[in-house]
Amino acid sequence: MDPAESIEPLIRVMALHALEYCERLYYLEEVEEIRIADKAVYDGRRFHQQLPEYVEITSYPLQSDTLGIFGKVDCVRSEGGEWIPFEYKKGHSKNYEKDKIDAWPPDKLQVAAYALLLEEHFDRTISEGRIYYAADHRTVRILINDEMREWVKRSIERARYLRKTIKRPPISKNERLCARCSLAPVCLPEEERLIQEGKEDLPRYFPPDRDQVDLHILQHGTTIRRSSGTFILENREGIIEEVSSESIGSITIHGHSQITTQAIHLASMKGIHIHWMTSGGKYVGSLVQSVGGTQRRLRQYEGLTNESLTIRLSQSLVYSKVESQLRYILRLTRGTKERDHHEENLQIMRESLRRIRSDSPKRDGLLGYEGMAAKAYFNSLSLIISEEGNPMFFNGRNRRPPRDPANAILSFLYSLLYRDAVQAIVTVGLDPTIGFYHQPRSQAYPLALDLMELFRVMLCDTILVGTIHRRQWDVEKDFETAGKQVWLSEEGKKKAIRAYEKRKQDTWKHPVVGYSLTYDRTMELEVRLLEKEWSGVPGLFAMNRIR
Ligand code: SF4
């Protein structure tokens, strides 16, 4: 029977190997369906392809509906009338010393599972399995007895049980396993140890940056098509650019350009996200690769319908946002003669912070304090931006539509940020439509709006102030006006995108986890820390602030 047809899906023997290594790894790979092929995985595959000729791999596929498992043993040999399953491993054996070697428990379980499959297949007893460890050039013999058979059956039962739960098993107690685990950047075990055991100086598993860039298509009339593994950008005059699919993480199409089905297909295969924005800079929608099964979303729904959790998360979120606003104004006015003009606004922001913490407010109360602080913050920002001689006038935040160049820049930057927030949430495997602070009033995804609050100051407001102070805008060329509405011209959008994408690659030290990473990666990290809030390890989300 095909595994897909059975009522209780069969379990891969390699999944039992993962289960014995760490139950959490089994759960992430087999239940949540997250698989990352890291260097060790590729090395293992290459090792099997490059074994010397005298090592014969027959790769025998086996399956048992009675046992509920299937897999492919590397080799089956006949010796003295006995059938022996063989596995080849690239690394060292356990306890390797001159004359004392043993196999690792996950390897033993794997070979024992193959032995049980062979017993059923040949209808005869298998009494031995062998594992060859290439790094030691040694073979370990595994006795297959009743104890081993029971171990395999118990493991299958455990694997079946875990498949039915939505709760992720705890992290492994053995830290050394995490150092070699391909899913450590998703699992983030050290961040949990930080909370549970107060450990500092964490080994870092979360990558500090990405080596891919985000491609923006601004020129109207561009077509993106596919040629093998490359995206070809062209218009009526011919080819504009050829971009390798290996070098990009996302494609954002601004306005009226086209992407062919074949190019969308290539993007999907390579995990490249596609976003669409209007010519006016408004987010339209995305095609984002998601990972993880339904368990992640079920945990999210369960967590975000818990009122005390949503209030606590909202408090942390609003506190983080207002504290970043306060710190930013303090930083911009430190040592200046204008500082006194900001005292009243600073006081309002400080008071808002005090109340967010001490009043234990409900959502409406938080909205009130957030609004109070935002008004004071934008008052101060207006004073700072609209200093004498600056052609970029800013008189507080206005939107829908923006009515001055500074607000046009800010609205566009926030749209880019929203796009990244959606991407980070869906990439992690969560549902952006279920948030905890924002309500589903508009078409915008509430969880993406929630996440944005942590990054508005550090990714967008800093760009607005910095570029205006460096006189980087040309009021005539970079903006277009229709009635009271102002938006960025194509030239203006290019400048904003350059500044935004560059800012995303800036590195900073996260104040809680204590390691450095780009702002780009911080967004995904925050989503993973948010997920831990309802997975039994709270206290890490929304602790980031601008310095
Ligand atoms: S990182 Fe550690 S705890 Fe997480 S799945 Fe891997 S081995 Fe298990």
Side-chain angles (χ1 to χ4, degrees), residues 38 65 76 107 154 184 188 212-213 222 236-237 254 282 322 367 374 385 401 426 430 441 474:
D38 68 352
D65 297 331
V76 183
D107 300 342
R154 267 198 324 272
L188 299 182
Q212 292 160 322
V213 296
T222 304
R236 280 191 190 159
E237 272 105 61
H254 300 257
K282 206 165 158 256
V322 175
L367 282 170
I385 289 173
V426 180
L430 299 186
R441 272 203 222 115
D474 182 326

Side-chain angles (χ1 to χ4, degrees), residues 21-22 24-25 171-172 177-178 181 184 187 189:
Y21 188 85
C22 165
R24 173 112 139 193
L25 175 64
I171 56 168
S172 168
L177 295 181
C178 302
C181 176
C187 171

Side-chain angles (χ1 to χ4, degrees), residues 414-484:
Y414 288 158
S415 290
L416 293 176
L417 177 60
Y418 177 80
R419 171 206 66 161
D420 284 334
V422 173
Q423 182 172 304
I425 291 164
V426 180
T427 304
V428 169
L430 299 186
D431 181 350
T433 63
I434 312 286
F436 54 90
Y437 182 53
H438 287 85
Q439 299 295 302
R441 272 203 222 115
S442 64
Q443 281 184 329
Y445 296 131
L447 191 59
L449 295 174
D450 290 346
L451 184 65
M452 276 177 75
E453 301 298 358
L454 296 178
F455 295 92
R456 283 181 194 267
V457 177
M458 57 178 84
L459 273 180
C460 301
D461 302 358
T462 50
I463 293 177
L464 177 78
V465 176
T467 52
I468 289 179
H469 273 169
R470 288 192 294 277
R471 302 281 202 268
Q472 287 180 333
W473 300 99
D474 182 326
V475 181
E476 300 298 319
K477 288 191 189 144
D478 294 336
F479 303 93
E480 288 171 11
T481 308
K484 287 187 175 167

Side-chain angles (χ1 to χ4, degrees), residues 224-232 242-243 245 260 262-263 266:
I224 308 156
R225 65 174 175 85
R226 172 188 181 175
S227 171
S228 188
T230 303
F231 292 107
I232 311 283
E242 296 185 11
V243 188
S245 58
T260 64
Q262 290 82 351
L266 176 63

